[in-house]
Amino acid sequence: MIPALLLVAPASRVAVEYDWLFWSLVVVCGGVAVGIAAFVVYSAIHFHRRSENELPPQIKGSLKLEVTWSVVPLIIFLGMFAWGASLYFDIERPPANATEVYIVARQWMWKAQYLDGRREIDELHVPVGRPVKLIMTSQDVIHSFFVPAFRVKQDVLPDRYTTVWFQPSKPGKYHLFCAEYCGAKHSGMIGYIYAMEPREYALWLSQGAAEGSLASTGEKMFHQFGCANCHHFDGQGPCPDLKGLYLRPVLLTTGQTVVADESYIRESIVDPAAKIVAGFTNYMPVFKNVLTEDQLVELLAYIKAIGPAPGTQQPSSAGSVPATYGGQPGISGSGPAGISTDQSRAH
Amino acid sequence: MTPVAEAVTVERNYLNQGEGILSWLFTLDHKRIAILYLVSVTMFFFLGGLFALLMRLELLTPRAWLFNPGDYNKMFSMHGIIMVWFFLIPSIPTTLGNFFIPMMIGAKDLAFPKLNLLSWYIFMFGGAVTVFALVRGGVDTGWTFYTPLSTTYLNTYVTATATGVFIAGFSSILTGLNFIATIHRMRAPGMTWFRLPMFIWTHYATSLVLVLATPVLAVTLLMMGVERIFHVGIFDPALGGDPVLFQHMFWFYSHPAVYIMVLPGMAVISEIIPTFSRKPLFGYDFVAYASMAIAVIGFLVWGHHMFVAGLSIYSAMAFSFLSYLVAVPSAIKVFNWSATLYKGSISWDTPMLYAIGFLGLFTIGGMTGLFLAALGIDVHVTDTYFVIAHFHYIMVGGTVMAFLGGIHYFWPKITGRLYPEGLARLSALIVFVGFNLTFFPQFVLGYLGMPRRYAAYPTEFQMLNVLSTAGASILGVGYIFPLCYLLWSWKYGKKAGPNPWRGTGLEWTTASPPPRDNFEVSPIVEGPPYDFGRMREELHLG
Amino acid sequence: MAQPIVSKKTYALTFGTLLGITALTTLLGFIDMGSLNTVVAVGLAGVKACLIAGFFMHGFYESRTVRIAMIAGVAWFLIMISLTLVDYASRFW
Amino acid sequence: MAEPLALILREQFHAPEQQRETATLGMWIFISTEIMLFGGLFLAFSVYRMYYPQAFIAGSADMNIALGATNTAVLICSSFTMALGVHSAEVGGRKLLNLFLALTMILGAVFLGIKFTEYYLHYLDHRVPGPGFLFPSADPPKAEMFFLLYFIMTGLHALHMFVGEGILFSMILRNRAGSFSAEYHTPVVLAGLYWHFVDVIWVFLFAIFYIEGLHLHKW
Ligand code: HEA
Ligand code: HEA
Ligand code: CUA
Ligand SMILES: [Cu+2]
């Protein structure tokens, strides 16, 4: 039991906050529960029936008491709600400067794709002290990404991106579980997260023999699947210019405006007709069942890398841990060659 | 309410009126139908329990040593499906509810006796289909049938099982309908709403949920079946559907369903505690309103099962907030039950032991529900053993305890015999100890991060799992005891007399076992429920 | 609480109105009103439903309990649909 | 001849009025459950309607409004005759009751006939979801979702119509056997409630499936 407890010792910033809340609830609820139990046991013993014909005072109720024990718990509950909700917002909202890693889940393995093109199966290496954001999708059924030591969990859905983030605070090897039942080998869909000191992490990164960054593979795909035939980067032609698309508000034919986040871009590729950009007619082929989730991730990384939209933060550079941590990370050198990073292109 | 002071021995009662198996299979008597249900749900309970034992055995070691993981998945799926739909949901309402709702309101029968019998047949048919699926090879969806796993990826008997559950759902609906109509229209003269025993109020609330939630389960399973059979998209994203919609619809039913499971338990407790404290239920009105509030607000909180499923965070906030609201009426009830004990004349008969057990375990289960309802906390413990422990505390520690308590409490009325008190107290103790040993370690496991539905697990979780398995075997013994001595006492127990506990309800004014029409003379109600003060007059007279 | 008998005239009037609304619904359906089309179609359907439930099904003449039973189904349906749609609508905030 | 009161009153009741009220209440509760049953489907429809607005409007534009509107009118007529049937029962007009029940059944049959004709036309047009599905638009899979919901919802509705026909038929038989009178005709009232309810469901189905995209209908 002791080693188990150690294993779940909080290893991320959120986990520490989490434990505060959790143990506070244990104290409050435990206190009330012990109080109730004590009262019940005391009554049961102290007022134990003494004679067969005993008739106790017939007390019917008390408005004062009723109000007290409705309102006081309510107030306590509201406190729990507020604290729980604020923690949830911390857990759910990744900071803008987080390093991105793409996760593709399938029965029954986790595949991680780093921006520098490294791939790992059932393992994930992350630096200590820096926020990491995972952009996750599933190839088949629903899975759930769960790292107990970080106190985070997020279902991974097919046909959609969900994200989770954490900031490891202690180097170590932590369990990664699949927490949503996903078929026969659900309990085998486990792995490890290695949180490393930044120096070691940099070393680990440099040893990776990647065939090129994720975005550059994406660029190859972009040509291979003929995207480049239609989508030009000079604003010419009958197709939208994809430069700076990421996080830009896009006006649709329906008059709605949507923000071009990961899910939107993904949908635009697999199901172009779903949302059509204003001013264009849709004749883009449907890439559903043509591209694998891995390829989609590569294309996505590429599209995100080709120039940030004006005025929005670019999450992280393609390829490596942001050199200037906390500063304004731009496109670092490892981005695909020949791609303009001109940020001033107006829509 | 004229209590029968002396035991009026009625020669003919509902048990001996009509002989032979056919007189049971075609009976329209709510009491006999209750017995039919009792036999059926008991069988399903032990079947579900058998799966639980096998599961616990498997979890003794970190490796999958007894079954391969696929078979383990079938174990928990069949365990959950049978326990929820074929044991716990029908357990109290169709047995004790069926038997005692008409008696407590002074009616001859339910409003629609034929419908009542039909419900049982539908239930058994649904059960038969499910058991058929089980013997043919089982199902491994989990009791939640999440898509697209269930519709596209599994090749077990998903459709057959879902059909069984679908069918059983209609039995629930008809039972609920029958209860509502009965409680509205069949009360004896003088039995006003605020003279109803709390048992009735709470069953009324339960029936509301049964009637309004169950159809949604039916239609959800229907759509799931269509998708699975015809390979057309409703919930599968590969076919254009949305799996989260399935979860919305499933939990729209299943959260209210957890109140279907606990409210009847509360109904029983609200009878036992006054009787064995000889005091009126403290804060009667508030407890009545609390039951209704649980039934209504219980419909607004289903999203708390989906906090990490891809729900919008704003929606999640609303659902979390509402979950806390629905906990308030439960709190009111716990406090009122406790207050009823205060200055009472408390006897330690077996039903009361179960009731006290219920109080403690339900409180723990409910409070851990508060943990889960806190958004941030749920993220870590959802889909771990923490959730498993939470709901077993409420469903097993709460409702099953209440069920056992209720069976003991009403046993003399149902059979006319007393059960052996000493043995009964002993097994209540065994159940309590075994239960806590089984499920308390699971809270810790959950906090440590052990996911649910795992056939194999990392070694550091073993110690707690061994404790839990040990507890489960004690618990199993604790359940087999009552089965044996209750059956024994049906034949050989001491004769009970009409009112062994000196209860105040109408059901205690008639003979044990009651005559076919429940009462020799149709009762007229003149006073409030739980009127123990009458005892004084009785004593003066006697 | 004997049930009043609804007159044939009331039935006939209801019937006429229902047919009228059906015609109106269909005619309005031909006009492109943008998203209003849905609102009008479902709204008029709601009016028809009320007429049927009120007159044909004696909803306007029944006891309070029965009326509550009628309304409960609709109210619960609205709970289900509104809370679910709120989730979908707020996903992209 | 009306049955003697003793036979009509089931033993668990103490007065005919109580029995009637109870039965009506029971029926209404049942209808509430039916609302929730169809409600789940309406919910699914709304969600996908929100996801795929164009495809759903296009699907709706593809419906045969002539048949749909006719069917709506037929069903409203049948509700009218049903209401008149209940009226006849209330005043004890056995012959008229028979007539109206029969008329209602015929109208119901007409409705089903038209509905299945429509299904057949959909089949000819390859609008049945599944491998053979065809839809002349940019986005057949989404229109397929529309048609799937269309078939499930109208199919479940048609199933209810069949049940309703069965109930009406049994009412006719019981009426001919002389079971109903001005004093006792609760089963007819209940049958009427059921029938009207099924009508109400159709009114909504008509609105969402036929009317929504009517303005885009290609003639
Ligand atoms: C009978 C069954 C039952 C009951 C009554 C409840 C009652 C409650 N449940 Fe539980 N629940 C389940 C059965 C039940 N649950 C099941 C089966 C699951 C899992 C399903 C699955 O995934 O397979 C589940 C899962 C579940 C979850 C989702 C967990 C997850 O999967 O992530 C949540 C989250 O909010 C939750 C919350 C609650 C709450 C707030 C209550 C409240 O109603 C509890 C209210 C009661 C109390 C609070 C106790 C008494 C109060 C006091 C004594 C007051 C004093 C206290 C203080 C002042 C602190 N439950
Ligand atoms: C509704 C009621 C209910 C009840 C009463 C129980 C009772 C028990 N449950 Fe169950 N449980 C659920 C509902 C219930 N459960 C649900 C809904 C799930 C989720 C399923 C899912 O994930 O899909 C679950 C899941 C679940 C798990 C998690 C599985 C997993 O996620 O991997 C475990 C693990 O320990 C467990 C254990 C037990 C135990 C030990 C009991 C004990 O209380 C049982 C004790 C009973 C006995 C031991 C019976 C004695 C019988 C014999 C001795 C055999 C004799 C046999 C014959 C005569 C035929 N349950
Ligand atoms: Cu993947 Cu469980
Ligand atoms: Cu819940």
Side-chain angles (χ1 to χ4, degrees), chain B residues 25 48 83 120 136 149 193-194 209 255 259 261-262 275 278 287 327 332 362 380 385 429 438 447-448 456 495:
Chain B
L25 292 181
M83 282 298 198
W120 182 73
R136 286 303 299 274
L149 183 66
W193 281 93
F194 285 89
V209 185
H255 183 83
Y259 295 116
M261 298 184 239
V262 83
T275 302
R278 290 229 176 116
V287 181
I332 294 177
F362 172 73
H380 171 56
Y385 267 80
L429 192 69
T438 312
Y447 174 72
L448 296 181
K495 283 231 158 48

Side-chain angles (χ1 to χ4, degrees), chain A residues 200-263:
Chain A
E200 286 173 54
Y201 183 65
L203 196 69
W204 177 82
L205 272 182
S206 66
Q207 285 164 352
E211 322 89 71
S213 75
L214 200 58
S216 66
T217 321
E219 187 185 15
K220 281 190 213 118
M221 296 296 151
F222 199 74
H223 290 282
Q224 190 180 323
F225 286 96
C227 321
N229 299 347
C230 295
H231 294 281
H232 305 284
F233 295 111
D234 49 9
Q236 303 292 304
C239 303
D241 183 348
L242 299 183
K243 211 167 3 138
L245 172 63
Y246 182 55
L247 292 186
R248 188 172 66 201
V250 178
L251 184 67
L252 304 179
T253 43
T254 57
Q256 279 173 296
T257 307
V258 293
V259 173
D261 58 4
E262 286 92 353
S263 287

Side-chain angles (χ1 to χ4, degrees), chain B residues 275-503:
Chain B
T275 302
F276 293 93
S277 317
R278 290 229 176 116
K279 267 182 71 202
L281 185 62
F282 195 88
Y284 173 94
D285 299 16
F286 289 88
V287 181
Y289 291 133
S291 301
M292 298 305 291
I294 291 177
V296 174
I297 308 175
F299 274 95
L300 309 176
V301 308
W302 76 85
H304 66 209
H305 296 271
M306 304 162 62
F307 286 159
V308 301
L311 199 68
S312 102
I313 50 177
Y314 305 98
S315 211
M317 254 178 73
F319 281 122
S320 164
F321 178 76
L322 291 162
S323 303
Y324 280 107
L325 280 195
V326 78
V328 174
S330 296
I332 294 177
K333 290 190 157 201
V334 168
F335 290 125
N336 278 304
W337 290 320
S338 311
T340 308
L341 299 176
Y342 187 67
K343 289 198 175 159
S345 161
I346 293 167
S347 92
W348 294 347
D349 290 314
T350 312
M352 190 60 163
L353 297 186
Y354 279 114
I356 291 175
F358 172 98
L359 263 184
L361 302 181
F362 172 73
T363 302
I364 296 177
M367 283 178 172
T368 50
L370 300 176
F371 282 58
L372 294 169
L375 287 161
I377 298 228
D378 185 63
V379 170
H380 171 56
V381 290
T382 181
D383 276 321
T384 68
Y385 267 80
F386 193 90
V387 176
I388 301 284
H390 154 67
F391 68 73
H392 283 89
Y393 258 81
I394 298 191
M395 306 207 293
V396 184
T399 308
V400 177
M401 284 270 192
F403 185 46
L404 283 171
I407 294 281
H408 285 87
Y409 177 54
F410 290 119
W411 194 251
K413 181 57 59 185
I414 296 174
T415 63
R417 306 281 179 160
L418 290 172
Y419 57 83
E421 186 65 42
L423 207 52
R425 284 186 200 173
L426 177 67
S427 38
L429 192 69
I430 297 177
V431 168
F432 186 80
V433 171
F435 173 83
N436 282 294
L437 188 56
T438 312
F439 293 107
F440 196 81
Q442 297 187 359
F443 282 125
V444 186
L445 276 174
Y447 174 72
L448 296 181
M450 176 163 164
R452 62 193 282 200
R453 298 170 169 177
Y454 263 30
Y457 53 84
T459 44
E460 61 267 23
F461 298 133
Q462 185 173 13
M463 161 95 139
L464 289 160
N465 271 300
V466 170
L467 283 181
S468 179
T469 302
S473 32
I474 298 177
L475 189 56
V477 174
Y479 286 141
I480 288 181
F481 265 28
L483 181 71
C484 301
Y485 67 70
L486 285 178
L487 285 179
W488 174 86
S489 74
W490 192 311
K491 253 211 133 115
Y492 305 105
K494 272 205 310 239
K495 283 231 158 48
N499 192 359
W501 315 119
R502 305 235 215 158

Side-chain angles (χ1 to χ4, degrees), chain C residues 38-87:
Chain C
T38 313
V39 178
V40 168
V42 176
L44 286 177
V47 175
K48 279 202 275 185
C50 289
L51 288 175
I52 298 177
F55 293 109
F56 283 174
M57 300 171 87
H58 299 175
F60 294 148
Y61 312 94
E62 285 289 356
S63 66
R64 206 171 58 115
T65 318
V66 170
R67 262 191 268 174
I68 291 175
M70 297 174 65
I71 293 166
V74 180
W76 256 253
F77 168 65
L78 291 179
I79 290 177
M80 173 168 74
I81 197 167
S82 53
L83 272 172
T84 308
L85 291 184
V86 161
D87 169 34

Side-chain angles (χ1 to χ4, degrees), chain A residues 279-327:
Chain A
F280 293 90
T281 36
N282 170 42
Y283 58 92
M284 173 166 161
V286 175
F287 284 92
K288 190 169 192 158
N289 305 329
V290 175
L291 297 165
T292 64
E293 289 299 338
D294 290 355
Q295 288 165 333
L296 278 167
V297 161
E298 286 152 8
L299 281 169
L300 180 61
Y302 171 68
I303 292 172
K304 283 165 75 172
I306 47 179
T312 50
Q313 312 110 316
Q314 170 76 354
S316 76
S317 65
S320 66
V321 183
T324 47
Y325 185 64

